[in-house]
Amino acid sequence: MLALFKPKSDLATMQHLKYVLQSPRVLSKMLGEAKGATQKFVGLTYLRKFRIPLPPKAEQERIVAKLDALFSRIDKAIAHLKHTHSQSKALSKASSNLCFDQLDSTKAELGTIVDFKNGYAFKSKDFCDSGVPVLRISNIQKGGIDYGRMTYVPDNTINDKTEQFYVEPNEIVIAMSGATTGKIAMNDTGKRLLQNQRVGRFIIKCETLRNFVFLFLETKVEENLQQALGAAQPNLSTKQIKELQIPLPPLAEQQKIVAKLDALSAKCRALETATSQQLERLESLKASLLDTAFKGKL
């Protein structure tokens, strides 16, 4: 439901009204008095009778001008921080790409150096809210596992056949279908997860090689998939994944690359965290300014 506000007199300016309705005190009051169990709402009668601060028009214009100027400065700072955030991600990706592009080493098909296993078709009718966690393609997000949306199967589902489909902690998985096709993640949950169908699993015993493969796929997977598949396709086959080309430098060089990219990633994450915190503070500052303005203290 939408409500349209139109001025009935020249006692109020629409810009002043907009800022009033955005203020935390007004929003909190409306939310607290809203009706509805599943979807909260306020009716037109409620809005028509809702009391707002209404200083003289000259004071309204002064408040609006002050808030416009302050918000403009805050919005510029927010835009700058968002640009910094995106630049940090771009720098990390560009550095990773450059690192792998500069490798002067023999390439091999991925399937010749690691084992790869497709998932098992667990029955959706068995899915429940507790038991043994099942990793589905929708749980695979860039870099990690979305454990909050995990589904489960009962303990008695596990038998000699399904026992083979456990994703161990720190193993690499790839989404082979759907909207997340090609996304790579490492099982960072610390738990064993059952591997559902269309989830691919890389079985790599050597930790250094596993980390190297993960970083390579996380960096180059889109490019490699485009080369391997051509036009976008909704599915990946085991054959296509096994045939992906990967550089294979000596183990000592793999260790150096992993250490270098891990250090870069840590710095970028720290910068992104700091940027996100600053963005939250700026948004909070906006709310605080609105609250101050309509207490008559601006």
Side-chain angles (χ1 to χ4, degrees):
M1 181 190 299
L2 294 176
L4 177 64
F5 294 90
K6 290 183 177 180
K8 295 179 68 174
S9 71
D10 60 356
L11 294 177
T13 67
M14 293 306 294
Q15 187 66 6
H16 179 267
L17 177 61
K18 185 192 83 168
Y19 279 138
V20 169
L21 295 175
Q22 288 177 338
S23 67
R25 294 176 68 192
V26 168
L27 290 174
S28 177
K29 181 175 176 60
M30 285 188 177
L31 184 60
E33 296 173 351
K35 297 179 180 180
T38 56
Q39 187 172 2
K40 296 287 186 179
F41 71 95
V42 292
L44 291 177
T45 301
Y46 174 87
L47 290 173
R48 290 189 181 106
K49 293 182 178 181
F50 192 85
R51 299 182 68 82
I52 63 170
L54 193 64
K57 193 170 183 181
E59 177 65 5
Q60 293 179 44
E61 292 172 346
R62 186 194 71 80
I63 292 172
V64 167
K66 187 74 172 178
L67 288 174
D68 281 348
L70 291 170
F71 279 18
S72 176
R73 292 170 63 186
I74 292 172
D75 287 340
K76 286 180 181 178
I78 288 174
H80 176 73
L81 285 170
K82 286 182 176 179
H83 178 70
T84 300
H85 193 274
S86 64
Q87 288 293 96
S88 171
K89 288 186 174 182
L91 174 62
S92 178
K93 184 174 181 179
S95 298
S96 298
N97 271 312
L98 182 62
C99 187
F100 287 112
D101 288 342
Q102 287 180 334
L103 282 177
D104 184 18
S105 56
T106 303
K107 290 189 176 182
E109 288 188 352
L110 194 55
T112 64
I113 60 172
V114 305
D115 290 325
F116 182 81
K117 189 177 183 67
N118 208 330
Y120 180 78
F122 291 94
K123 296 177 181 178
S124 58
K125 68 180 181 63
D126 292 331
F127 290 166
C128 55
D129 296 329
S130 63
V132 185
V134 178
L135 176 65
R136 298 175 295 174
I137 54 176
S138 58
N139 300 118
I140 299 176
Q141 301 301 322
K142 187 172 176 57
I145 303 299
D146 182 3
Y147 196 76
R149 299 174 56 198
M150 197 71 65
T151 193
Y152 301 82
V153 292
D155 293 341
N156 59 15
T157 305
I158 309 304
N159 52 43
D160 290 343
K161 187 174 183 179
T162 55
E163 181 74 30
Q164 305 170 43
F165 295 93
Y166 269 114
V167 179
E168 302 295 342
N170 299 320
E171 283 194 324
I172 304 167
V173 291
I174 183 172
M176 299 174 66
S177 298
T180 58
T181 298
K183 282 198 174 180
I184 303 290
M186 189 172 280
N187 180 9
D188 55 359
T189 66
K191 302 177 184 294
R192 301 178 77 205
L193 312 172
L194 287 172
Q195 179 189 0
N196 200 35
Q197 62 181 339
R198 307 306 296 157
V199 172
R201 174 166 56 112
F202 298 91
I203 305 167
I204 311 171
K205 299 299 182 184
C206 174
E207 183 180 359
T208 297
L209 178 60
R210 181 169 65 244
N211 290 334
F212 179 81
V213 169
F214 175 71
L215 289 171
F216 175 79
L217 291 175
E218 190 179 42
T219 301
K220 306 292 286 184
V221 68
E222 290 183 7
E223 178 182 320
N224 275 272
L225 290 180
Q226 287 173 0
Q227 291 175 356
L229 305 180
Q233 295 185 21
N235 297 297
L236 285 172
S237 70
T238 297
K239 181 176 181 293
Q240 289 167 331
I241 292 171
K242 285 184 174 183
E243 289 177 350
L244 290 174
Q245 297 287 314
I246 181 171
L248 196 61
L251 200 61
E253 190 173 354
Q254 292 180 33
Q255 290 174 327
K256 289 180 181 178
I257 291 169
V258 169
K260 178 181 178 180
L261 293 181
D262 279 350
L264 176 63
S265 179
K267 289 180 180 179
C268 287
R269 284 198 304 272
L271 177 59
E272 288 168 15
T273 299
T275 303
S276 296
Q277 290 171 345
Q278 287 178 296
L279 285 169
E280 288 175 8
R281 285 195 287 268
L282 287 172
E283 292 294 348
S284 296
L285 178 58
K286 277 188 171 184
S288 177
L289 286 170
L290 286 169
D291 194 43
T292 300
F294 300 113
K295 286 180 179 177
K297 298 179 181 179
L298 187 66

